[in-house]
């Protein structure tokens, strides 16, 4: 199963997909990504956030590659299972 | 017995002396307060000391005990709580500037239970800002300092809890653990710290960091003392939606059952990789001790262990950002740099990441239940990859080495304990601040190393039994920092 990068076609993902060397575009896309979460970032904060994105997305890539069972019955996380 | 010795007793011993009428709660409380007075300027473990209230509570305990005996082994014992627990009429800062003057009218659920057990509360302990970090370096209240070497971090986020218990400023402390924040400072400060099963201890009145990962638990100078504190705080709280109905057994009853028959799993992969050599040596020797005590030690594979940190990250950062969203928007400059940055990183993750991380949790919980805990009763690993880093070494650099082995267990919700299992040769054999000469440094003490044991859900009793058995055969937990 390959990693699907842009399930939401988000600006930042799209920018990365289109041009890996577009640092200004990455920065603007990162600003929009933060703004979508209600964070107004600029200057060093924005730069640090933008720099961290590839690393963080690499980290969670595995979560999207695990083959979950799509037919499992609906159930929320049950915390720990009860003592046997 | 002189006051200086009283402060170094275990709860079990102090409680016995109270029962025998040989010391009083007031004696113990004065000994703790004297220790705080003597050391805390250097250690910075406490944010607020409630000395008058503690002495009043100690006098009341003394009266009650003389009239009708102690109502629990904690009756008259001086303890402290991380400054993340609501405490009636005492400020609860969460180690932050934002809540610097926050005062509630009620105690946390765990605090209520400590009071009900008769414990004497000495005050509120330093922590990483909003419990969101593993070093305990706090920009608003200063870093709590490691009693074994005050140039080094205590580990966090329950930093003051680790330092104060290790230094004898209190007999036990309450901490919280979202990715290792009880076990890490326990390991780095040379004490015993227990993260119970998710749902075992009420979180009512505790400021959250990450709703689905936060745990409350005890930190003390022995496994037996952790059992005593856990007994007081465990059990269902109808006012906490995450509190489980699972009955709490006696945690002290099985302590002396030994290690014979226990099946201990040593992970084949990941958790023993890239360790400091002294940490690996000490932990493997500790596992050998358990083997010699009768445990059956075998290698075990841990399915999905390498993916677990990703799920913890996606969940913790997303939930933390949700919790802090309003403050982060309205008061961004009131956060310390590292916590501000971590909160911002929550915006990295999409809804898909968060949901798949929770789904992954369901997967790993059931896989470990069926494939790991069908083969073994306990897992044994190093608590941290390294001993205490220097305060100057930088938060982000240190964090990964501290949390890697602890945070997967928060995702699983299984109980885990850190017990002292050795020391490095000397702290000066490791890099410290180069501009500080050996003579100017706080001391030349070796640094503690922690063994992490984990058990299946709800089986804190077996965990404590193994830790206690190990501590009966070794003396690492009895060593005190040379302050």
């Amino acid at each position: 199963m390959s990693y699907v990068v842009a399930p939401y076609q988000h600006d930042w993902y799209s920018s990365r997909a289109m041009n890996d060397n577009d640092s200004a575009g990455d920065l603007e896309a990162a600003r929009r990504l933060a703004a979508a979460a209600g964070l107004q970032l600029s200057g060093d904060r924005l730069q640090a956030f933008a720099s961290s994105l590839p690393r963080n997305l690499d980290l969670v890539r595995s979560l999207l590659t695990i083959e979950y069972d799509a037919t499992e019955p609906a159930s929320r996380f049950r915390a720990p299972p009860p003592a046997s | 017995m002189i006051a200086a010795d009283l402060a170094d007793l275990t709860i079990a011993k102090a409680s016995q002396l109270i029962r025998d009428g040989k010391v009083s709660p007031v004696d113990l409380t004065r000994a703790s307060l004297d220790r705080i007075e003597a050391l805390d300027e250097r250690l910075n473990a406490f944010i607020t000391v409630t000395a008058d209230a503690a002495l009043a509570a100690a006098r009341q305990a003394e009266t009650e005990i003389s009239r009708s005996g102690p109502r629990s082994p904690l009756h008259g014992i001086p303890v402290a709580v991380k400054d993340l627990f609501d405490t009636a009429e005492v400020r609860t800062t969460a180690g932050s500037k934002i809540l610097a003057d926050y005062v509630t009218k009620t105690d946390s659920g765990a605090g209520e239970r400590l009071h009900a057990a008769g414990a004497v509360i000495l005050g509120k302990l330093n922590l990483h800002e909003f419990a969101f970090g593993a070093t305990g370096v706090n920009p608003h209240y200063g870093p709590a300092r490691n009693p074994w070497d005050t140039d080094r971090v205590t580990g966090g986020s329950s930093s003051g809890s680790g330092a104060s218990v290790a230094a004898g400023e209190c007999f036990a402390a309450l901490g919280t653990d979202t990715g290792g924040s009880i076990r890490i400072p326990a390991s780095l400060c040379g004490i015993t710290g227990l993260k119970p099963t998710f749902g075992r201890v009420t979180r009512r009145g505790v400021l959250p960091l990450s709703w689905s990962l936060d745990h409350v638990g005890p930190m003390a100078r022995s496994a037996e003392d952790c059992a005593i504190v856990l007994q007081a705080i465990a059990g269902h709280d109808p006012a906490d939606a995450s509190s489980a109905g699972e009955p709490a057994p006696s945690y002290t009853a099985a302590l002396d059952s030994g290690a014979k028959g226990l099946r201990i799993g040593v992970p084949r992969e990941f958790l023993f990789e890239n360790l400091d050599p002294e940490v690996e040596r000490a932990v493997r020797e500790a596992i050998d001790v358990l083997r010699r005590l009768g445990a059956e030690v075998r290698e075990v594979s841990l399915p999905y262990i390498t993916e677990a940190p990703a799920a913890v990250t996606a969940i913790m950062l997303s939930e933390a950002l949700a919790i802090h969203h309003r403050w982060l928007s309205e008061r961004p400059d009131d956060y310390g740099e590292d916590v501000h940055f971590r909160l911002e990183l929550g915006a990295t993750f999409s809804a898909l990441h968060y949901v798949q991380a929770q789904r992954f949790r369901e997967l790993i919980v059931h896989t470990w239940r069926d494939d790991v805990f069908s083969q073994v009763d306990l897992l044994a690993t190093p608590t941290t990859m390294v001993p205490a880093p220097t305060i100057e070494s930088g938060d982000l650099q240190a964090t990964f080495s501290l949390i890697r082995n602890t945070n997967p267990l928060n995702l699983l919700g299984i109980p885990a304990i850190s017990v002292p299992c050795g020391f490095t040769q000397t702290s000066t054999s490791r890099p410290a601040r180069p501009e500080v000469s050996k003579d100017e440094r706080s001391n030349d003490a070796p640094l503690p190393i922690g063994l992490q044991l984990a058990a299946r859900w709800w089986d804190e009793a077996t965990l404590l039994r193994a830790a206690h058995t190990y501590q009966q055969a070794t003396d690492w937990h009895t060593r005190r920092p040379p302050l």
Side-chain angles (χ1 to χ4, degrees):
Chain A
M1 183 178 179
S2 62
Y3 176 54
V4 180
V5 182
Y8 296 117
Q9 295 299 307
H10 196 284
D11 283 353
W12 187 86
Y13 303 103
S14 303
S15 166
R16 295 291 300 181
M18 286 188 296
N19 186 350
D20 279 348
N21 298 315
D22 181 9
S23 59
D26 281 356
L27 210 59
E28 173 57 16
R31 189 192 66 73
R32 289 188 192 183
L33 182 59
L39 304 178
Q40 306 304 319
L41 302 185
S42 60
D44 290 346
R45 285 200 193 289
L46 177 59
Q47 190 68 56
F49 178 70
S51 301
S52 73
L53 284 175
R55 189 173 61 247
N56 282 302
L57 290 170
D58 274 349
L59 176 68
V60 295
R61 182 182 303 228
S62 61
L63 297 174
L64 306 184
T65 59
I66 290 170
E67 298 206 26
Y68 301 97
D69 178 6
T71 64
E72 67 187 343
S75 60
R76 62 186 295 276
F77 170 63
R78 291 183 292 271
S84 53
Chain B
M1 183 172 279
I2 60 172
D5 295 331
L6 290 181
D8 285 323
L9 294 173
T10 61
I11 293 173
K13 181 66 180 171
S15 179
Q16 184 188 325
L17 291 172
I18 288 176
R19 277 198 307 276
D20 294 346
K22 292 181 177 164
V23 299
S24 75
V26 173
D27 297 333
L28 296 176
T29 303
R30 288 212 168 103
S32 292
L33 291 171
D34 287 350
R35 188 67 68 92
I36 293 169
E37 177 75 23
L39 296 183
D40 212 58
E41 198 170 327
R42 286 166 64 195
L43 298 179
N44 198 30
F46 278 81
I47 289 178
T48 304
V49 178
T50 53
D52 291 344
L55 282 168
R59 287 189 203 98
Q60 184 183 338
E62 196 162 302
T63 304
E64 291 168 351
I65 290 167
S66 66
R67 201 175 289 152
S68 49
R71 61 176 178 264
S72 91
L74 274 183
H75 202 172
I77 302 294
V79 302
V81 298
K82 185 177 185 176
D83 203 15
L84 201 65
F85 291 74
D86 287 354
T87 307
E89 310 301 340
V90 177
R91 69 177 180 158
T92 299
T93 69
S96 72
K97 183 176 178 183
I98 288 170
L99 293 178
D101 300 312
Y102 176 63
V103 179
T104 59
K105 292 190 182 310
T106 55
D107 283 323
S108 66
E112 279 178 5
R113 291 181 181 197
L114 286 180
H115 280 299
V120 172
I121 312 294
L122 294 164
K124 311 291 292 290
L125 295 160
N126 204 350
L127 66 157
H128 206 108
E129 182 183 12
F130 285 118
F132 203 5
T135 62
V137 177
N138 185 309
H140 310 295
Y141 301 90
R145 292 179 177 275
N146 194 311
W148 292 92
D149 180 344
T150 54
D151 284 339
R152 293 179 186 269
V153 303
T154 54
S157 65
S158 307
S159 54
S161 305
S164 63
V165 172
E169 293 180 334
C170 60
F171 287 72
L174 291 187
T176 62
D177 190 318
T178 306
S181 291
I182 286 173
R183 290 159 287 159
I184 293 166
S187 175
L188 270 48
C189 293
I191 63 168
T192 305
L194 170 66
K195 179 194 84 65
T197 309
F198 186 84
R200 175 65 90 190
V201 177
T202 175
R203 305 183 300 175
R204 174 165 51 89
V206 180
L207 198 83
L209 168 61
S210 174
W211 297 290
S212 68
L213 296 169
D214 293 340
H215 299 64
V216 166
M219 301 167 73
R221 289 194 283 269
S222 71
E224 183 178 22
D225 285 2
C226 281
I228 289 169
V229 178
L230 180 63
Q231 200 73 63
I233 61 177
H236 185 237
D237 178 358
D240 176 357
S242 65
S243 170
E246 199 72 21
S250 168
Y251 295 113
T252 51
L255 283 178
D256 292 318
S257 301
K260 196 166 171 67
L262 288 178
R263 299 170 301 166
I264 297 180
V266 179
R268 280 197 188 93
E269 62 281 285
F270 194 61
L271 299 177
F272 275 85
E273 293 172 4
N274 301 318
L275 299 176
D276 177 290
E278 289 187 273
V279 169
E280 179 162 10
R281 177 186 48 75
V283 170
R284 291 201 184 278
E285 284 176 9
I287 293 168
D288 276 343
V289 170
L290 286 164
R291 189 199 316 264
R292 288 198 295 275
L293 291 168
E296 178 194 327
V297 177
R298 58 173 80 165
E299 281 198 336
V300 65
S301 198
L302 300 177
Y304 299 114
I305 186 64
T306 54
E307 291 89 353
V312 174
T313 303
I315 292 170
M316 189 190 301
L317 269 58
S318 299
E319 291 185 354
L321 176 57
I323 288 163
H324 285 269
H325 192 257
R326 183 169 63 86
W327 288 331
L328 196 63
S329 302
E330 294 175 357
R331 303 179 63 174
D333 296 334
D334 288 341
Y335 285 92
E337 276 298 316
D338 70 307
V339 170
H340 194 296
F341 182 61
R342 281 196 193 94
L343 288 170
E344 287 170 358
L345 293 185
T348 306
F349 306 114
S350 69
L352 180 66
H353 292 120
Y354 180 80
V355 172
Q356 295 297 53
Q358 293 287 17
R359 214 171 167 199
F360 172 80
R361 165 149 47 185
E362 190 73 11
L363 180 68
I364 192 171
V365 162
H366 288 281
T367 306
W368 279 41
R369 185 190 60 187
D370 295 342
D371 296 348
V372 177
F373 288 113
S374 58
Q375 296 181 54
V376 297
D377 303 305
L378 298 167
L379 295 172
T381 79
T383 307
T384 61
M385 296 167 68
V386 294
T390 59
I391 291 170
E392 300 294 320
S393 63
D395 182 86
L396 295 176
Q397 182 69 29
T399 297
F400 173 76
S401 304
L402 299 179
I403 67 172
R404 187 195 71 178
N405 283 9
T406 52
N407 83 13
L409 308 189
N410 292 71
L411 186 73
L412 284 146
I414 55 178
I417 194 167
S418 180
V419 297
C421 70
F423 285 82
T424 60
Q425 293 300 309
T426 65
S427 67
T428 49
S429 66
R430 304 172 172 284
R433 279 186 292 167
E435 71 277 14
V436 178
S437 72
K438 182 177 172 182
D439 291 343
E440 293 173 302
R441 295 187 53 210
S442 53
N443 59 57
D444 190 24
L447 301 171
I449 296 169
L451 165 73
Q452 177 174 244
L453 297 170
R456 60 171 65 82
W457 298 265
W458 310 116
D459 200 6
E460 289 87 354
T462 298
L463 196 61
L464 288 160
R465 166 188 162 194
H468 178 71
T469 303
Y470 176 75
Q471 292 184 336
Q472 295 308 293
T474 58
D475 68 355
W476 306 115
H477 66 293
T478 66
R479 301 192 185 186
R480 300 288 177 259
L483 287 161

